[in-house]
Amino acid sequence: MHTKEVLNDLGKMKWDITIKGIIIGVIVGLIVSFYRIVIEYGFEFAIIIYSGLRNNPIFIPFWLVILIIVAYISYRLMRLEPFAKGSGIPQVEGIVLLGFKMKWHTVLLVRYIVGFLTSIFGLSLGREGPSIQIGAAGALALAENSTNNKLKENYLVTAGASAGLAAAFNAPLSGVIFALEEVHRTFSPNILIATTTAALTADIIAKYFFGLNPVLSYTNVYSLPINYYFLLIILGVLTGFLGTLVNKGLLLASDLYDKIPEFYRLLIALSIAMIIGLFLPQVLGGGQNLIKLSENAEISITMALLLLIIKMLFTFTSFGSGVPGGIFMPILATGALVGTIFGQLLTSFNIPVYYVSAFCVCAMAGMMSSSVKSPVTSVILMAEMTGSLIHLLPVAIVAFISLLTSDLLRTVPIYEVLLEEMNKDDKSIDHKKNGAIIEVSVELGSEVAGKKIKDINWPDNILIVAINRGKKEIVPNGENQIIQGDYLIVMSYKQDFESTNSKLIQLCHTN
């Protein structure tokens, strides 16, 4: 593609991605809604099955046979498409940030089939991560048939991820912020337009199937008085520590499973799920039922503590096996349990029990912030869950104290670690892109800020084709000075996408 063609394409891009964002929202809203229905049906079936097995243990051997069959089918499908294993969020980040390629059709096939088969055993996995990858796959299907522009393709994939989370949670703002904060990791007017149009459209489609309420619709959350805010510091430190513990547990479980043949990993995970289902069915699935129990303080402190420990361990064994499923919802569920334990302990000091739900909301944001390192998404998600901005300040306090605590503990974001491990495993990814159009933002204090283009040691085989400065699009030459806030549109040639992108980020972002 010549420079002139690139500039012409960039000029038309805003309207193009707006229209395509709406189309992606429709596509993703439909396919993620169908995925939600399939997974919810599987979980409801698991509850019925385990209830029947407890009353009629004679049928347990027959269920074991089904378990082995499901494990084998899932194993064969995961061998067919390794890119569909696990959460789905690191895979999408790899497409956008490192140039991974994805076979969207086989990813969708494996996500749907294995997701349903394993959901009937009640594994402690969420649907939000897979929904994000399903959304990205739906967007990629459109992008591959409508554009050769790799920059636009990345915009559309990010928009699909945003729409996927919006449809999974009925939370469009959270979908937009998560895509910007975690997936794309930068902001520009084009990416904002793409993610917003896709997320809002997908949310409308999902609401048609599931109603107007968010998935985790909290009710009657009382506003926490200002004289209780000092308690939020304690809760932030606690969730920061526990979020770090969750990350370490997930990674340790993955390391242990790596020493076991893949088929047996699935057998172990499903067998543990069966034992849990027979003796403690409350912790089955992603954890939405635990969040509801925690909200109204319907369980004792002792029971909540038991559920918290088992839920964490169960999540480790489920996710570490590599079964397609996410950790988003289980992390929120553990946060809700932490909040109810914390709140009920405080009732001994004459703090009213009706404030327990407020501590639950804050703790969920804290756990997510410390584990995923996406504090803004955590705060916005809690606002959408409660349907009110009254709790924005206490939730933000806990989220950012939790983030600071995890930083002091040197916790690496869980999805970043999983992406690095995936990048090392060539079997799980397709060939990487060679050559692309890259957009990179210039941050205050970066190496290139304030310098002329000719004075910067750029990576080999690239050409800066445009500088977006506010509403202006500048055709650059060597004398142009780069300032913070600019967006550089860069064409890379033969060099590997990952290497080029990494070097540009080092130059343009603050270390």
Side-chain angles (χ1 to χ4, degrees), residues 17 55 121 169 182 186 208 219 288 303 310 323 417 477:
I17 61 176
N55 295 325
F121 287 87
F169 261 137
E182 179 63 28
T186 188
Y208 178 80
T219 57
Q288 190 173 335
M303 187 61 184
I310 299 299
V323 172
V417 177
N477 58 56

Side-chain angles (χ1 to χ4, degrees), residues 222-257:
Y222 288 84
S223 180
L224 202 64
I226 193 72
N227 56 310
Y228 290 159
Y229 274 33
F230 73 95
L231 296 170
L232 300 176
I233 299 174
I234 302 172
L235 184 58
V237 172
L238 177 62
T239 53
F241 174 78
L242 290 174
T244 297
L245 184 63
V246 165
N247 283 16
K248 290 185 181 297
L250 291 169
L251 297 175
L252 177 61
S254 296
D255 290 340
L256 293 175
Y257 269 118

